[in-house]
Amino acid sequence: MASNNDPFEFREFEEDGNLLETNREATTIKIEDEDVKRQTKAPGFVHDAEDEYSAHSDDREELLSGQKKSAPFWTFEYYQKFFDIETHHVRERILGSLLPWPRKNFIQFYLRKNPDLYGPFWICTTLVFAVFISGNISNFMAGKYNPQFRKVTIAATMIFSYAWFVPLGLWGFLLWRNNKILNLVSYSFMEVVCVYGYSLSAYIPAVVLCIAPLEWLRWCIMVVAFGLSGSILVMTFWPALREDHPKVAMAMVSAIVLLDVVLAVVCKMYFFSRPGAPVAPPTSGLIKTNTSSS
Amino acid sequence: MAAEEEASRPFAGLSDVSISEDIPVEGDISVPVGPSRTEEEFSTLDEPVKETILRDLRAVGNKFIHVLYPRRSSALLRDWDLWGPLLLCVTLALLLQDGTADSDHEGGPQFAEVFVIVWFGSIIITLNSKLLGGTLSFFQSLCVLGYCILPLTVAMVVCRIVLFGASGTIGFVVRLVVVTASFGWSTFASTAFLSDSQPANRRALVVYPVFLFYFVIGWMVLTFSPSTERQP
């Protein structure tokens, strides 16, 4: 009951029912109970976190990861999740592809369920321009300066088809075999693209070093680059292929290696001509100004 | 009772106000219109054409100055336009032409190739920075990348002048120095505008494609050689 004798005495707050006794016409709102009810029903953080943290966090993570993947593929947000990396991630992945280690499967160790599209795309683009520019410089130093700009288009077509269509074929093949045999290891398409993209990073320094005008040195450099990138690919895909029939597994491994060899050889021969041999323009059949043989 | 009913209808007291016809309504409801800025923007139809064109040119020129002396200003970002990039791209592509009729099998890039590289490259870099979580809008980013080609266009003009005068090694060294300096200037200017909009842990991921873009354009500028000379 409210006592008006001592105004400075602390009074407990009374129930609203008591307050209404003095003034029946006043309108009062009961916020207190509703607030408490709202807190206990709060779906997440305070209540659940205190009581059942371990059980709920897994559900929440599953829900969140499910929500993360539910954007349809024609929206911008779908592709944004493939760019969810930071500078040091990219740096680690590039270093991991340049220095293959037998125990470290690239997908399982470096990607860790977070494949990105940044690395493959920009490594391919850099390789296209590196090959073109290095080829130009080596031609210039050999005396035949012929900056055929259409070589950029050809280089881009070659490298991007290798980095995107070969993973598509390989992934399709792995999917088909997974229906026939029980396989513990399965890779998603983005992970395969990622491995192929990062494996091309070994060719960038190799191509820049091929400016040196010594033929045997160029072939040595390309062999080393092919060794690095090929070993990354083989070590990544061997666990997915070894459960299979031995002949099929060997055939696939040799196909992967062969395509890599073809890329290396074609790059070398098309862009870095042998010193002394004339550079043939691709479309003209006439013998134009290439009679300069030094 | 009555007091409670009154309380539940807060606007009840107004219900007995009525407008009778015999109370005349007087007054002037027209708002005096004076010369205001908003009117000037809408009535550009009356101004001479020279005014209109000069206003846009002045805006473009103002942005050129911001590129040449990159400070932390938001002029490029706030009022973006694509006239400047178009002007620069066309100028660069025209200057990179050989001018001789039989050089379509070899030689430098065609007009369309330069155009495609500049615009397609800018679009891809913009998409890249937006996918990495950048806060600039699409056209603001295109505007910045396009305007920062200005140093390289200036370098192209200088290179052409140098090629008229000195050729050979000295000319090549001069051209190399000029192109390198302008490439560095372009990259520095564009990262001054772009890097603020990115989170700190991804800044290098955004700056590298810009570096590659200006490197390729710088390469095209450096390796330009008219077909009348060359062929050792």
Side-chain angles (χ1 to χ4, degrees):
Chain A
M1 294 258 284
S3 71
N4 296 326
N5 299 335
D6 187 4
F8 297 110
E9 185 189 87
F10 181 74
R11 294 192 291 268
E12 291 293 327
F13 285 105
E14 292 157 336
E15 295 296 326
D16 43 5
N18 295 339
L19 284 173
L20 271 178
E21 282 173 10
T22 54
N23 185 8
R24 281 211 170 268
E25 289 169 21
T27 54
T28 59
I29 306 171
K30 277 182 166 185
I31 319 175
E32 196 185 4
D33 290 343
E34 289 170 7
D35 240 5
V36 170
K37 280 185 207 149
R38 242 181 259 128
Q39 268 183 13
T40 51
K41 283 184 199 157
F45 303 109
V46 176
H47 190 70
D48 287 343
E50 286 164 10
D51 294 359
E52 300 149 301
Y53 184 67
S54 53
H56 276 258
S57 68
D58 293 341
D59 295 344
R60 210 166 358 124
E61 271 178 24
E62 252 183 44
L63 275 175
L64 284 176
S65 63
Q67 282 168 12
K68 206 168 70 159
K69 286 185 184 129
S70 67
F73 68 91
W74 55 83
T75 58
F76 190 71
E77 285 76 25
Y78 177 80
Y79 296 100
Q80 211 159 11
K81 70 176 186 284
F82 295 122
F83 282 79
D84 190 19
I85 47 165
E86 303 175 4
T87 311
H88 66 93
H89 289 148
V90 175
R91 196 170 44 225
E92 283 161 11
R93 291 177 188 187
I94 293 179
L95 283 177
S97 67
L98 287 176
L99 307 164
W101 206 248
R103 296 296 164 83
K104 293 184 185 173
N105 185 334
F106 190 80
I107 289 183
Q108 281 157 7
F109 189 76
Y110 286 104
L111 294 189
R112 291 191 195 181
K113 295 290 172 205
N114 189 19
D116 66 296
L117 278 181
Y118 178 90
F121 181 76
W122 286 110
I123 290 178
C124 289
T125 314
T126 312
L127 184 62
V128 165
F129 287 114
V131 158
F132 172 68
I133 291 178
S134 309
N136 262 1
I137 295 179
S138 74
N139 279 347
F140 175 71
M141 285 178 14
K144 300 163 296 299
Y145 185 57
N146 200 357
Q148 291 172 309
F149 205 76
R150 62 180 56 226
K151 281 190 175 177
V152 172
T153 330
I154 296 175
T157 315
M158 215 166 59
I159 288 171
F160 273 93
S161 348
Y162 175 77
W164 293 85
F165 289 123
V166 172
L168 185 67
L170 187 61
W171 173 73
F173 176 81
L174 286 176
L175 210 62
W176 172 58
R177 295 307 289 179
N178 271 350
N179 285 340
K180 303 212 166 171
I181 53 165
L182 180 62
N183 210 340
L184 296 167
V185 180
S186 71
Y187 299 135
S188 72
F189 175 60
M190 283 298 166
E191 288 170 342
V192 179
V193 165
C194 220
V195 173
Y196 264 87
Y198 278 104
S199 74
L200 284 178
S201 65
Y203 284 110
I204 296 178
V207 149
V208 171
L209 288 173
C210 273
I211 297 177
L214 302 164
E215 192 65 20
W216 60 267
L217 186 62
R218 288 179 182 174
W219 282 111
C220 280
I221 292 172
M222 292 309 275
V223 163
V224 169
F226 156 70
L228 286 175
S229 77
S231 59
I232 286 278
L233 292 174
V234 167
M235 280 192 303
T236 307
F237 288 110
W238 181 244
L241 288 171
R242 68 176 164 214
E243 316 271 335
D244 212 343
H245 193 69
K247 283 193 183 162
V248 173
M250 288 313 295
M252 279 317 291
V253 167
S254 33
I256 293 175
V257 166
L258 192 68
L259 283 169
D260 204 7
V261 167
V262 164
L263 180 77
V265 166
V266 167
C267 271
K268 159 71 184 61
M269 299 199 55
Y270 188 63
F271 289 97
F272 301 93
S273 61
R274 278 181 294 274
V279 176
T283 54
S284 83
L286 309 168
I287 301 174
K288 291 185 78 168
T289 54
N290 292 333
T291 51
S292 67
S293 54
S294 47
Chain B
M1 274 104 62
E4 278 181 6
E5 283 169 359
E6 279 286 340
S8 61
R9 292 183 295 129
F11 299 110
L14 291 175
S15 61
D16 46 349
V17 169
S18 60
I19 301 176
S20 62
E21 280 100 1
D22 40 286
I23 302 177
V25 177
E26 308 176 32
D28 189 8
I29 59 173
S30 66
V31 179
V33 177
S36 59
R37 277 191 58 218
T38 50
E39 266 215 3
E40 278 177 7
E41 286 179 19
F42 289 134
S43 68
T44 56
L45 211 52
D46 294 333
E47 65 179 13
V49 176
K50 191 179 75 163
E51 251 319 295
T52 316
I53 294 179
L54 275 183
R55 181 176 44 230
D56 279 333
L57 281 180
R58 259 184 247 125
V60 169
N62 185 32
K63 292 197 190 74
F64 279 168
I65 295 177
H66 276 278
V67 169
L68 286 178
Y69 303 106
R71 303 182 291 269
R72 295 205 170 252
S73 73
S74 59
L76 253 80
L77 298 179
R78 206 176 39 228
D79 324 303
W80 59 266
D81 73 89
L82 290 178
W83 283 116
L86 181 68
L87 212 61
L88 288 172
C89 182
V90 169
T91 312
L92 188 66
L94 284 176
L95 286 173
L96 277 169
Q97 293 303 297
D98 249 350
T100 57
D102 58 340
S103 67
D104 41 17
H105 292 306
E106 41 187 89
Q110 306 288 319
F111 185 92
E113 285 167 343
V114 176
F115 225 75
V116 160
I117 282 190
V118 169
W119 286 101
F120 208 55
S122 304
I123 289 175
I124 289 190
I125 294 176
T126 306
L127 279 179
N128 178 64
S129 73
K130 284 191 77 67
L131 281 168
L132 282 171
T135 54
L136 284 187
S137 84
F138 185 74
F139 288 109
Q140 276 173 339
S141 201
L142 278 185
C143 170
V144 167
L145 287 169
Y147 269 104
C148 290
I149 297 180
L150 177 68
L152 282 165
T153 311
V154 168
M156 183 72 216
V157 172
V158 170
C159 279
R160 275 213 103 139
I161 296 174
V162 166
L163 279 171
F164 275 132
S167 53
T169 318
I170 301 178
F172 180 72
V173 169
V174 168
R175 278 161 44 214
L176 182 67
V177 167
V178 166
V179 170
T180 311
S182 61
F183 155 70
W185 199 344
S186 288
T187 312
F188 173 69
S190 65
T191 51
F193 292 115
L194 288 177
S195 66
D196 282 341
S197 66
Q198 292 291 329
N201 52 1
R202 291 178 182 180
R203 207 156 280 177
L205 296 183
V206 172
V207 167
Y208 171 70
V210 175
F211 168 88
L212 187 66
F213 176 63
Y214 289 124
F215 186 81
V216 170
I217 297 182
W219 176 258
M220 288 197 300
V221 168
L222 181 64
T223 60
F224 170 78
S225 62
S227 61
T228 49
E229 50 177 86
R230 257 346 306 169
Q231 304 317 323

